[in-house]
Amino acid sequence: MGEAEENTAHWDHFWQQGEAACCDDRASPGHAAAVDSIWTSLFESAPAGTTVLDLCTGNGSVLAIAGRGGNVSGLGIDSARTSPKLGQDFGFLRASATALPLADESYDVVTSQFGIEYTPIEASMAEVARVLRPSGQSVFVVHAAAGVTATAARRQLDDLDELRDEQQPFLAAREALEKVVMLERAGAPPTPAARADAEAAYGRVYAGLEWLAAEWQARAAGKVFRNTGELLQHTFQHRQAFPLPVLLDKVDETEASVGFHRDRLGALVAAARDQARMAELVELATRVGLVDAEFEPIYVDGQMLAWRFTARCPAEERMGERL
């Protein structure tokens, strides 16, 4: 979900690849286990019949943990086109966290894992306060600006900007495909000038592929570099088997995938919160009527990963104090 939950294309692309969560073992060994332990502890202590609402649920990783003990049921909500595989006690609804189509005081627990910080937070927090039952609690895991995930995202963004703006492999690939394929499929022998032009374009592409092959292991965005090089090389190697428009579409698809990845990283960096912005979150929770709002850092192997934020809805006798 984007900051205003309007442009979800990069999240649609991410979740439709089958990703379980924004933080997983492939991207950050050990980090997923640290985050999962927060939810395991929360749901293991939940009384039977507890209902949970997971905001910005993605493919439902939090609800998957909630369902392990059998004490919890609930709903996942996301504005993106996700593909959650949820148990029978859990449902999914595509909706905005800023305008939940849910009744007041309808959930015991509201959770979010690397999600609510991407939304317009004032409206989302007001909705959290509205749907929580008296004495209910909210628990959020929030990206930290100084955390390893956001730091890695900034490094990847630098790499992707260099790939896209300086190396321009997709522009070179489209130009070369048009010239080489048209030359190869022409009915008449090419002129020396046309052959030289095509060979030069072809050479620029393979110079770019060699650069990607030489660079990917040393780059923060190495996986993207490697995949880009492999896909472009495969397209050229199999150009005889497909019409030119199909080949060009494959280049466009590869470029779009890189763009979605870059947009997601940019959104992560923008959403990640420092200590001052977490303090603002506490103040906001208080303004919308929640109590005992607090946050603490999550560390893994001495490295900061994220923030854990908690707040409660007042008990029944204090409900009149809520805004």
Side-chain angles (χ1 to χ4, degrees), residues 203-267:
R204 286 191 290 273
V205 168
Y206 272 85
L209 294 178
E210 288 175 355
W211 180 82
L212 288 168
E215 290 284 328
W216 77 267
Q217 288 183 307
R219 296 290 187 144
K223 183 178 178 180
V224 178
F225 277 37
R226 183 191 63 196
N227 290 348
T228 297
E230 289 176 351
L231 287 166
L232 293 180
Q233 184 172 33
H234 184 272
T235 301
F236 267 85
Q237 289 176 338
H238 295 82
R239 65 184 181 274
Q240 301 292 349
F242 300 97
L244 178 58
V246 173
L247 299 171
L248 295 175
D249 284 347
K250 187 63 178 178
V251 175
D252 290 345
E253 179 185 318
T254 305
E255 182 176 22
S257 181
V258 172
F260 288 141
H261 185 61
R262 190 197 178 286
D263 289 345
R264 185 174 66 83
L265 292 172

Side-chain angles (χ1 to χ4, degrees), residues 1 10-28 32 56-62 64 78 80-86 113 156 223-224 226-227 257 260-261 264:
M1 61 267 31
H10 51 289
W11 288 113
D12 294 347
H13 179 266
F14 179 76
W15 296 120
Q16 288 168 15
Q17 305 307 304
E19 301 290 352
C22 292
C23 174
D24 65 22
D25 285 321
R26 286 169 296 174
S28 45
C56 312
T57 194
N59 280 340
S61 60
V62 173
D78 205 301
R81 293 180 175 85
T82 67
S83 303
K85 296 178 175 61
L86 304 175
Q113 175 177 300
Q156 287 192 57
K223 183 178 178 180
V224 178
R226 183 191 63 196
N227 290 348
S257 181
F260 288 141
H261 185 61
R264 185 174 66 83

Side-chain angles (χ1 to χ4, degrees), residues 104-109 125-138 284-293 310-323:
D104 294 355
E105 301 181 7
S106 51
Y107 285 88
D108 300 304
V109 180
M125 192 66 79
E127 285 293 85
V128 170
R130 183 181 67 80
V131 301
L132 270 176
R133 289 175 177 151
S135 299
Q137 63 177 323
S138 59
L284 175 59
T286 303
R287 287 204 306 271
V288 299
L290 300 177
V291 298
D292 299 334
T310 58
R312 290 191 307 104
C313 181
E316 189 71 50
E317 62 269 18
R318 296 179 60 190
M319 288 298 290
E321 301 176 15
R322 294 174 65 188
L323 300 180

